[in-house]
Amino acid sequence: MRVKNMVVWLAPGACNALGQVKLPVKTALAVAKLGITLAELRKPIEEVRVKLVTEFTARDEKGKAQVDAQGGVVLTDKEAFNKAFNELMDADCDTDLVMPKVKLPETVSATCDKCHHNMDRPLEIEPIILQQLEPFIEV
């Protein structure tokens, strides 16, 4: 499957968030493997992003990076940086992803808070996580 760099950029964080949910063992393993794969694919994208930030960072007379009140670096040309960053994120990932989609269950095991009875409950996931992992999961 082919995906954009933006998808690879966002997906590891969503995998980490999904990893906090109690899932059946096979599903949990598949999510963990997906997270590891996507984190590796994210590394070269991050390297290019760091180079862009370095290239566009404003520096003082001593060559030290200038920071704003929130602690972020000051950019010399924010518009040019945004254009370059957007081009990076809109590009296709260099790697064809060959992996099965992770099938998420509709329900997961739980224990009743009142009587401690074992039961199934609907799997609840934040919509943003599903949006960021859409190419890699099946619901």
Side-chain angles (χ1 to χ4, degrees):
M1 105 180 54
R2 298 293 287 180
V3 295
K4 301 282 184 193
N5 284 340
M6 178 62 80
V7 172
V8 173
W9 176 258
L10 294 173
C15 273
N16 289 340
L18 187 56
Q20 302 302 311
V21 176
K22 289 186 180 185
L23 297 168
V25 174
K26 287 183 180 181
T27 305
L29 180 60
V31 169
K33 286 180 178 181
L34 177 63
I36 290 167
T37 300
L38 292 170
E40 284 299 313
L41 290 173
R42 188 179 193 260
K43 286 180 181 179
I45 299 167
E46 173 65 5
E47 288 175 14
V48 173
R49 187 196 69 80
V50 168
K51 287 179 184 177
L52 284 173
V53 170
T54 303
E55 177 184 339
F56 286 98
T57 296
R59 304 202 175 270
D60 62 17
E61 308 82 39
K62 296 179 184 177
K64 187 177 177 184
Q66 295 179 2
V67 294
D68 60 19
Q70 291 81 26
V73 296
V74 176
L75 300 174
T76 55
D77 187 347
K78 194 171 186 173
E79 189 174 312
F81 171 80
N82 286 339
K83 181 180 178 195
F85 180 76
N86 288 336
E87 286 177 12
L88 171 65
M89 291 297 138
D90 287 340
D92 283 336
C93 181
D94 290 337
T95 305
D96 272 330
L97 300 173
V98 181
M99 62 179 67
K101 287 190 171 196
V102 175
K103 173 80 170 126
L104 296 179
E106 289 185 31
T107 61
V108 291
S109 296
T111 303
C112 178
D113 292 334
K114 293 180 182 178
C115 68
H116 304 291
H117 177 73
N118 290 335
M119 60 182 200
D120 285 344
R121 68 170 176 80
L123 177 60
E124 297 176 347
I125 302 173
E126 298 289 330
I128 190 73
I129 294 172
L130 294 175
Q131 180 184 10
Q132 293 173 354
L133 293 176
E134 185 177 10
F136 312 110
I137 61 171
E138 186 177 318
V139 180

